[in-house]
Amino acid sequence: LELRVHPRLGLGTRWIRTRAEVERDAEGRPVWMSGAITDVTRQHLAEDALRRTDRILRVRSAVNQALVRADDKASLLQLICEVGVREGGYKMVWIGRKENDEARTVKPMAVAGDERGYLAENPISWGEGPAGLGPTGRCIRTGEPQVAQDLLAEHDYAPWREAARQRGYQSSASIPLIVNGEIWGGLMLYAGEPYAFDAEELEMLSALGRDIAFGIGALRNFLSMRAQREQLTLFRQAIDRSA
């Protein structure tokens, strides 16, 4: 039997394998029992690392394919979120845009997975008030990736804790999307288990965030150029009609 032991006293998550044998007398009654407990944490960490690397590579590959084919931003962002849920196995994924309104709102642009009204019921800000103290607010405010490894225990996550518990969110990662040197918004991913994001996964998600940000910038430029070409075409047609 293998068991996962949750972190205590800063020791980190451990996996143990237990085995027991019972010696019985002639009448079948137990006389004594012997057992052993083996720490198999390293084996599990290695297996988990491989699984995480594989799933992030699948996500990144699918996202890059979407970036190549995209011709409008809304469908691109939605597809990215769906890929994160389908290929990455996350409970919920959403992309939010930084708004420069008075409340410094983070406006949801796309979402996939088990969301069930979470974003509408629990507004998120990138300001320094209570609504901006979670990982999303910190991520967009600082431009640095943020991780909450235990949402049900993290102090700053109190405004969203009950909603997260109802939906099975236990950890999250928020990745900044920096477009043309400016913080555009963030990519937020929620996992169904605590301590789901290690340093290697966070690094790979940060690389994914850079891919997405580059794609947003490139698509913005493409759409701008297309609009300019359309305006030029209309202008030329107007000249031809008046000639």
Side-chain angles (χ1 to χ4, degrees), residues 66-89:
L67 292 173
V68 172
R69 298 193 304 268
D71 57 6
D72 73 272
K73 187 166 63 178
S75 60
L76 170 63
L77 299 183
Q78 183 60 39
L79 182 56
I80 289 170
C81 292
E82 292 172 359
V83 165
V85 173
R86 184 180 68 248
E87 300 292 343

Side-chain angles (χ1 to χ4, degrees), residues 207-240:
L208 174 64
R210 291 191 291 271
D211 291 345
I212 295 171
F214 177 81
I216 292 173
L219 184 58
R220 176 192 292 173
N221 293 336
F222 169 75
L223 294 176
S224 176
M225 292 175 61
R226 186 169 68 181
Q228 291 175 11
R229 287 197 301 269
E230 291 173 351
Q231 290 177 357
L232 181 59
T233 299
L234 292 174
F235 177 69
R236 287 174 175 171
Q237 291 173 348
I239 292 177
D240 292 340

